[in-house]
Amino acid sequence: MRIAACIKRVPITGGRILLTEDARAINTQHLGFTMSPHEECGVEEAVRLIEANKGDSVVLTLGPPEAVDQLRDAMALGIDRAIHLQTDGQEWDGESTASALLEAIRADEAANGPFDIIFFGNESADSGGFQVGIRVAYGLGRPCVTGLKKVTLEGSSVRCEQEVDGGRDVYVVPLPAVLTVKEGLNLPRYPSVPGKMRARSKPVAVSDPSRPAPRLELVTLAVPAGQGRRAESLGSGVTAAPAVVEVLRKAGVL
Amino acid sequence: MTVLVLMEGSDASRQALTLARKFGDPRALRMDAIQPFAPEAIAAALAHAADELNASAVFAAGTERGNEVMARLAARTRLPFAANCIAATPGDPVAVTRVRWGGSLLEEARLHGPRSLITVAPHTVPADSGPAPAEMEIGPPAAADLLVQVSGHVAPANGGVSLATAKVVVSGGRGVGSKEGFAIIEELAGLLGAAVGCSRAVTSAGWRPHTDQVGQTGTKVAPEVYIACGISGATQHMAGLKGAKRIVAINSDPQAPLMLNADYTVTGDLKEIVPAISAEVRKHR
């Protein structure tokens, strides 16, 4: 079995987002980075499937040289190797990201055979374009099911549960397939120390695709005005309890 | 100029329709035109209808399904797609304002393409009361487009109060300290008929199931009162609170972002304060 997981490096934003001077990016000077939460679950699922069925797992990302940290994180969880499409840090839109990933996946499949499943996050934490996985699926001519909270292999098909209002919808599609997943699909493991050690020596194939002119072109970013909340202190400690109950009563919920 | 709108029969769809009217005379195609739901078949029907109308733009609500179908339309017709916009202005290129980070950032962008594909972020654009657009008929779907189609349904697992629709949510963060620490949160929630929520730190630690998580990658809530206990208020969490009418924050750190973004704050140890609120609620019954 061959499984791929595509991830994106994003900053850990904390409590307040600060922008760069040109307002075209988040000021990440004092921020750490991670992979998008949905994608972390895609990586975990890929590792579990290969643990259960044996085979080859690959993690792919399109991002700056530093995104190798997130590739190593994925390999520390158990992914076998990585493909890094290196950028100069400029923003790539979803359409361009998908075509670069598609090309890399095609090249890997030409050498090693098709992936049974390619995992994507349903949407990235930062730009939230909701499209990269679907575009790659179309490029490969494979079925794509989105927003998954549960994935179960059933012979040469995969049973997928998608979260909707009032429960989950079920889809069953033949393999190979592209699946976009959401946090909650599983609880990703913490990387072990030996896992981190092994990740350091796992192979990372690097290429540098050229960035086409984006057709969804970022101009500037802005932090939206606050919701106008003016925090009123109800006091401190247990003596504030009656005031909290008064808030509940006034809101008509008590 | 004609535009096409994918309608789901929700407020979010009416908001998308409102924005669509700025671009031209709208026609509608219904999300439930094919039953059970088959996203590729709907995308194919949209592509066909948009060509037939020579539509300059296609709009949908920025719901899970709206975004999914529009991304499929974009992939199928090789067009750029702007998800979760709160404003859009016709032109060449089209100017859009879209949300990032679950609404914590706004992006001004230009959309270049012969046909604009746009979804409208729910609850961001007021809906007008204009006329309902004429609906497009759709032909029988191609078998290949029915490969991905809903074939079953699983009912929600927990019988408790639904987080998304709860009138009151009592939510705990890292400050709760442990899985067992949630007993006092559950007690207060039980007294108030409230849903229990939590932050991402809590689900990552395995203290609560992901179905309890409020935030950008969890559930978006819209209660009358949201009581946040020991939650710092990272942007990831705040993205799930935009619909909350009143936020009460309980935290030992008065400078925690959630304390600064709440309506009411109580400073101190939640392990003492939450049981005291429960005791006070009991007095009122």
Side-chain angles (χ1 to χ4, degrees), chain B residues 6-65:
Chain B
L6 179 62
M7 295 294 288
E8 287 179 74
S10 60
D11 285 347
S13 291
R14 282 187 286 279
Q15 290 159 359
L17 174 61
T18 302
L19 202 57
R21 285 194 223 276
K22 283 176 63 180
F23 283 69
D25 180 23
R27 297 283 189 281
L29 193 142
R30 290 170 60 98
M31 183 76 94
D32 61 5
I34 294 163
Q35 291 291 346
F37 179 60
E40 293 195 31
I42 294 290
L46 274 178
H48 182 79
D51 283 347
E52 200 175 289
L53 295 166
N54 194 22
S56 62
V58 184
F59 289 83
T63 56
E64 297 293 342
R65 286 193 167 172

Side-chain angles (χ1 to χ4, degrees), chain A residues 224-240:
Chain A
Q227 297 182 29
R229 296 196 198 275
R230 283 273 173 74
E232 175 191 331
S233 173
L234 301 177
S236 58
V238 296
T239 54

